[in-house]
Amino acid sequence: MARPRRRHPALAGIEADWEAAVSVPPEDTEIEALAATFGDDVAAAFSHVRDRVALDPYPGILRGAHGTLSAGAGNAWDRSLLLAELLGAMG
């Protein structure tokens, strides 16, 4: 029988930040419009986030996907949220 997986206490805050960041209302169509420019090209979406969204190191999730796109910068967490939103909008 497998033991229940224990989570590190530091992850509790990150998980709460993640839930708040991914629950952004869908009214803003900026991400959907950008995703439409990539068509079905997942590599193009990845390259866009990697090359055109600057890395701005800070702790935790701060901007979320929409804020990171608007700012043109984010940390690894926020950039990955942006990429996830782009891929989700691409279908």
Side-chain angles (χ1 to χ4, degrees):
M1 181 173 186
R3 292 186 325 190
R5 202 169 140 175
R6 295 181 63 205
R7 294 190 173 158
H8 192 278
L11 292 179
I14 292 172
E15 289 171 347
D17 289 343
W18 178 271
E19 289 303 318
V22 296
S23 64
V24 174
E27 297 94 52
D28 189 357
T29 59
E30 189 176 4
I31 288 178
E32 290 81 8
L34 179 60
T37 66
F38 301 129
D40 291 336
D41 191 354
V42 173
F46 173 81
S47 295
H48 178 85
V49 173
R50 181 192 64 206
D51 300 338
R52 303 189 91 198
V53 179
L55 178 61
D56 186 9
Y58 49 83
I61 295 171
L62 177 65
R63 296 181 179 133
H66 294 281
T68 300
L69 182 58
S70 295
N75 69 359
W77 285 97
D78 284 331
R79 289 172 63 185
S80 36
L81 282 173
L82 173 57
L83 181 58
E85 287 288 323
L86 284 171
L87 296 176
M90 290 169 62

